[in-house]
Amino acid sequence: MILRLILGDQLNETHSWFGKSEDDVLYLMMEIIPEATYVRHHVQKLAGFFLAMRSFARTIESKGHHLFYIRLDDPENRQSFESNIKRVMTKFDITKIEYILPDEYRVDRLLADLSDRIDLPCSSVDSEHFLTRREDLGDFFASKKRMLMESFYRHLRKRDNILMDRQSPVGGQWNFDKSNRQTYDASIPIPPALEFDHTATEIIDMCRKMNINSFGYIEKDRFIWPIDRKQSLALLDYFLENGLPYFGSFQDAMSSESWSMFHSRLSFSLNTKMIHPGEVIQRTIDYVESSRKDIQMNQLEGFIRQILGWREYMRGIYWNLMPGFNDMNYFEHDRDLPKFYWDGQTKMNCMKQAICQSLYFAYAHHIQRLMITGNFALLAGVHPDQVDYWYLGIYIDAIEWVEKPNTRGMSQFADGGIIATKPYVSSANYIRKMSDYCAHCHYDHSKRAGERSCPFNSLYWHFYHRNRGKLEGNPRITMMYRVWDNMAEEDKRDIVQQAERYLMDLDAL
Ligand SMILES: Cc1cc2nc3c(=O)[nH]c(=O)nc-3n(C[C@H](O)[C@H](O)[C@H](O)COP(=O)(O)OP(=O)(O)OC[C@H]3O[C@@H](n4cnc5c(N)ncnc54)[C@H](O)[C@@H]3O)c2cc1C
Ligand code: SF4
C-alpha cells in the first residue's frame, strides 16, 4: 500500500492525487504539537488550520479515498511527522511513501531528511498549486542585475497570455499603480466583510488541553473565515461583486471604519491551497468581461498583479534566498519588539488600529502591515527575527514562504535591497494622507519634536540620519538627504534628541 502524506497547507481537492480513489493508497493527515508551536500562533490561525484540515478530511473521505487522520489530542499521537509515519507503517502494509513538496524550507528539509532515514522508497510530487516552479525566478533573473517584481510579472503576463493583446498589455500599460494610491472617498460605501459561521469551541478546548500557547481573540469561539473550497469560492465571488470595482483605487487606503476595506481576504484560502491562483485570475477576468459594471482597468490589473505578480515573485524570492535569508539583518537592528505589538496598548492611534484589528481578526491589509506596523518596527530598529516572529504568528495567512520575503525583505529591508529598491519608511505625512488615524491620535502629526510630537516623524529622520552610510548612495534616497541637510542645525538636533528619547522607552509610546 502507498502512504501519501498531506500537510495542513495542502488542502487542494483538485490535485491529481484525488482524481480517482485507489484501494492501494492510504492518505495520512496529522495535527502535531511542533506545527502548532513553532511560533506562537493567533488563536484564529490555529482554529483555521485545524478546521480546514478536518473539513478537507471529510471531503476526500466522502469521495471514497482511504484516510488515516490523527487528531492533536489522540492518545496514540506521537507528535512528530516521523514517529506518526512509523506508527502508520507498522499498522498497515506500507510499501512506499509519497508526499507533496512542502512550501516551507523547514518542512522541506525535515521531509527530505526523513526520506533518507526511512527504510522504504520515498518520493515527492509537485503541489500543482503555483504558477511557477520554485527555481523559475532564479533562472529568470540569472543574468540580470536586479530581481525586480515588475520584470517577473511582465514575463508571466506574456508567458500565460494574461491581460495581453498579442505582445502588448491590454489598456496600453503594464502597470496602473499610479491610479492605485487614492485616499478613501467616504461617499463610496465599503462592503461589509463576508463572514462564515463556524464554531471553534472544540478546537480551542483541545488546544487548551494540550497546552498550546496562542494569543489574539476569537469572539464567542466564532470562526469567520472560509474552511473549504466552496466557501473560498463564495468569498471570491463576493469580492468580485463588491470589492473589485474599487480594489485598485483604494488598495493603499486605510480607514478606521473598516478592517478589510475593498480587499479580497483570499490569502488564507489561497495559502492553504483550497483555491488555485490560476482559477482566481481566470474567474476575475471572466467576471469583468461578462459584468455589466464598468470595471476599470486599474482595478482589474491591480488585483491580477497581486496574485500573478507579487505572490509568485515572493515565493520565488524565498526559495532563491533560503536558508541564508534567515540571518539577513542589513541595518544590524537589535531592539526588542515593543510590548504593544502583543496587546495593542499604545497611544499611537495608527498602531493601535492596525494591531487591535489584527488581534481581533488575525488580519490586516497590505498597507497596514507595510506602512504602519512594519514601518514602525523598521524606524525603531527592531531585530528582524522578532519582527518575523510576530508576523508569522499573528496573521491567518502567515506561512513562512510568503511571510518572510514580505517581512524581512520588503518591509524591514533586511536583505539590503534585493526586493525593495529603497526602505518602505514614512513619517506621519503619508499615514495622515492615506488614513483617518491621525485625526483621533494622542500625538500631533504636524510636530517633529517636543511634547506629543508624532513618533513617526522624529524616528523617520533618525532612521535616515543613523543609516546614512548604508543609504546615501541609493539614488532613490538622495532627495531625502538633501532635505535633511537643508534643515536648520537646531531643528536637526531637536529631532535626533526627540527620537532618542522615544527609542529609550518604546513601550511607553
Ligand atoms: C510585513 C508583511 C507581511 C506579510 N505577510 C504575509 C503572509 O504571511 N501571508 C500572506 O499571504 N501575505 C502576506 N503579506 C502580503 C499581503 O499583505 C497579504 O497577502 C494580504 O494583505 C492578504 O490580504 P487579502 O487576501 O485581502 O489581499 P488582497 O489585497 O485582496 O490581494 C489579493 C491576493 O494577492 C496576494 N498578495 C497581495 N500582496 C502580496 C504580497 N506582497 N505577497 C504575496 N502575495 C500577495 C495574496 O494572495 C492576496 O490574497 C505580507 C505583507 C507585509 C507587508
Ligand atoms: S499622529 Fe503619528 S502616531 Fe498618531 S496616528 Fe498619526 S502617524 Fe500615527
Side-chain angles (χ1 to χ4, degrees):
M1 197 173 217
I2 301 174
L3 183 68
R4 283 180 174 171
L5 177 67
I6 304 169
L7 303 173
D9 66 345
Q10 296 180 336
L11 313 179
N12 179 1
E13 275 177 51
T14 61
H15 193 279
S16 54
W17 265 5
F18 308 111
K20 60 177 173 36
S21 61
E22 288 159 295
D23 277 338
D24 64 342
V25 173
L26 177 67
Y27 289 96
L28 172 63
M29 293 179 77
M30 61 179 95
E31 301 166 1
I32 51 174
I33 290 175
E35 290 303 304
T37 56
Y38 67 87
V39 69
R40 188 151 77 110
H41 297 287
H42 193 296
V43 60
Q44 291 188 40
K45 190 178 170 200
L46 289 173
F49 272 85
F50 289 148
L51 284 170
M53 283 169 73
R54 290 178 183 190
S55 166
F56 184 78
R58 287 192 294 276
T59 303
I60 60 169
E61 276 185 314
S62 73
K63 290 184 176 167
H65 299 286
H66 302 296
L67 172 73
F68 194 81
Y69 192 99
I70 307 175
R71 289 187 176 223
L72 193 77
D73 56 353
D74 178 346
E76 305 274 300
N77 188 340
R78 294 187 187 166
Q79 304 295 355
S80 84
F81 288 121
E82 181 160 355
S83 309
N84 279 331
I85 287 175
K86 284 183 174 155
R87 179 181 142 219
V88 175
M89 279 163 57
T90 55
K91 214 172 159 92
F92 301 89
D93 179 22
I94 304 295
T95 52
K96 184 172 189 250
I97 296 175
E98 293 179 350
Y99 64 91
I100 296 173
L101 276 180
D103 294 312
E104 227 177 310
Y105 186 85
R106 175 182 65 89
V107 186
D108 185 70
R109 289 295 86 214
L110 197 145
L111 293 184
D113 292 348
L114 192 153
S115 311
D116 290 342
R117 274 198 304 276
I118 274 186
D119 206 12
L120 276 183
C122 284
S123 59
S124 56
V125 297
D126 193 83
S127 70
E128 300 175 11
H129 175 78
F130 290 96
L131 304 167
T132 51
R133 292 169 311 149
R134 281 178 182 179
E135 59 277 17
D136 282 353
L137 177 132
D139 294 348
F140 177 74
F141 286 113
S143 57
K144 301 187 174 65
K145 263 200 187 140
R146 292 220 50 140
M147 294 204 270
L148 291 177
M149 191 290 288
E150 188 65 26
S151 331
F152 195 54
Y153 167 58
R154 290 183 190 184
H155 158 70
L156 295 181
R157 289 257 308 260
K158 285 189 236 162
R159 187 199 73 177
D160 294 350
N161 197 24
I162 293 173
L163 299 183
M164 293 298 295
D165 183 3
R166 298 183 192 189
Q167 283 306 300
S168 306
V170 172
Q173 268 169 251
W174 288 103
N175 186 316
F176 289 77
D177 221 16
K178 287 211 175 71
S179 342
N180 291 3
R181 292 178 194 143
Q182 295 178 35
T183 50
Y184 171 54
D185 169 354
S187 69
I188 297 167
I190 303 171
L194 177 66
E195 298 184 355
F196 297 90
D197 205 359
H198 309 289
T199 173
T201 307
E202 191 190 339
I203 305 274
I204 292 168
D205 288 348
M206 176 187 76
C207 288
R208 208 170 286 138
K209 188 174 98 188
M210 300 300 290
N211 293 320
I212 305 295
N213 190 8
S214 64
F215 71 110
Y217 309 111
I218 179 161
E219 206 181 337
K220 297 191 175 131
D221 294 355
R222 187 171 161 258
F223 184 77
I224 61 167
W225 293 86
I227 61 164
D228 60 25
R229 177 171 164 76
K230 194 167 157 218
Q231 289 172 5
S232 300
L233 290 173
L235 183 59
L236 170 58
D237 289 342
Y238 180 83
F239 163 73
L240 295 178
E241 196 62 34
N242 301 285
L244 184 67
Y246 299 105
F247 176 84
S249 303
F250 303 134
Q251 200 176 337
D252 290 2
M254 297 170 280
S255 161
S256 34
E257 300 288 303
S258 163
W259 59 277
S260 52
M261 301 295 290
F262 297 91
H263 292 270
S264 71
R265 292 173 50 229
L266 285 169
S267 48
F268 176 64
S269 299
L270 278 163
N271 295 353
T272 48
K273 307 186 179 58
M274 296 190 285
I275 48 173
H276 190 279
E279 76 184 319
V280 174
I281 291 171
Q282 198 50 53
R283 222 167 154 119
T284 304
I285 293 171
D286 291 348
Y287 175 82
V288 170
E289 280 173 0
S290 64
S291 170
R292 269 172 291 148
K293 292 180 187 160
D294 180 21
I295 297 177
Q296 298 145 358
M297 196 55 195
N298 71 312
Q299 323 294 355
L300 173 62
E301 189 279 325
F303 184 66
I304 301 295
R305 182 162 13 108
Q306 305 307 307
I307 313 267
L308 179 68
W310 282 109
R311 193 167 184 268
E312 295 294 321
Y313 171 80
M314 287 303 196
R315 174 171 182 263
I317 286 279
Y318 177 76
W319 283 102
N320 199 263
L321 298 185
M322 284 302 278
F325 205 0
N326 283 335
D327 301 319
M328 290 182 180
N329 184 1
Y330 183 67
F331 295 119
E332 298 170 52
H333 282 164
D334 60 1
R335 280 204 179 75
D336 286 335
L337 191 74
K339 289 198 182 62
F340 51 72
Y341 274 81
W342 299 100
D343 59 17
Q345 296 303 308
T346 162
K347 299 190 283 298
M348 292 180 284
N349 191 38
C350 53
M351 292 289 281
K352 193 186 191 78
Q353 296 279 338
I355 295 169
C356 286
Q357 77 156 70
S358 305
L359 292 169
Y360 278 102
F361 300 106
Y363 178 90
H365 62 75
H366 187 71
I367 291 301
Q368 293 176 306
R369 299 186 202 198
L370 186 67
M371 297 311 294
I372 305 290
T373 45
N375 183 9
F376 185 83
L378 180 55
L379 294 180
V382 178
H383 195 295
D385 283 357
Q386 294 195 25
V387 187
D388 260 338
Y389 187 84
W390 184 79
Y391 278 98
L392 192 55
I394 198 163
Y395 292 117
I396 187 102
D397 52 34
I399 306 185
E400 196 191 70
W401 67 264
V402 54
E403 176 279 327
K404 194 176 287 288
N406 271 294
T407 303
R408 196 169 275 256
M410 187 182 206
S411 148
Q412 299 303 296
F413 206 78
D415 59 4
I418 296 174
I419 295 174
T421 48
K422 70 179 179 84
Y424 279 97
V425 284
S426 85
S427 63
N429 257 349
Y430 174 85
I431 298 171
R432 181 162 166 267
K433 183 174 151 234
M434 296 311 295
S435 77
D436 59 357
Y437 298 152
C438 298
H440 312 282
C441 186
H442 164 89
Y443 294 103
D444 183 341
H445 65 82
S446 65
K447 285 174 77 176
R448 293 189 294 210
E451 209 186 332
R452 296 204 172 195
S453 58
C454 169
F456 279 85
N457 292 340
S458 49
L459 292 178
Y460 175 75
W461 287 113
H462 190 267
F463 170 82
Y464 278 126
H465 174 62
R466 72 176 186 263
N467 289 308
R468 188 162 198 146
K470 290 189 168 162
L471 294 175
E472 197 172 23
N474 183 331
R476 295 202 60 205
I477 306 181
T478 319
M479 171 72 182
M480 296 322 298
Y481 283 108
R482 211 170 294 147
V483 175
W484 174 248
D485 290 341
N486 285 334
M487 271 187 219
E489 284 309 315
E490 199 183 326
D491 289 347
K492 285 198 278 192
R493 193 199 57 218
D494 288 351
I495 291 171
V496 170
Q497 283 177 355
Q498 181 64 64
E500 279 166 2
R501 271 196 298 277
Y502 281 151
L503 287 170
M504 266 164 56
D505 193 4
L506 290 172
D507 288 342
L509 290 176

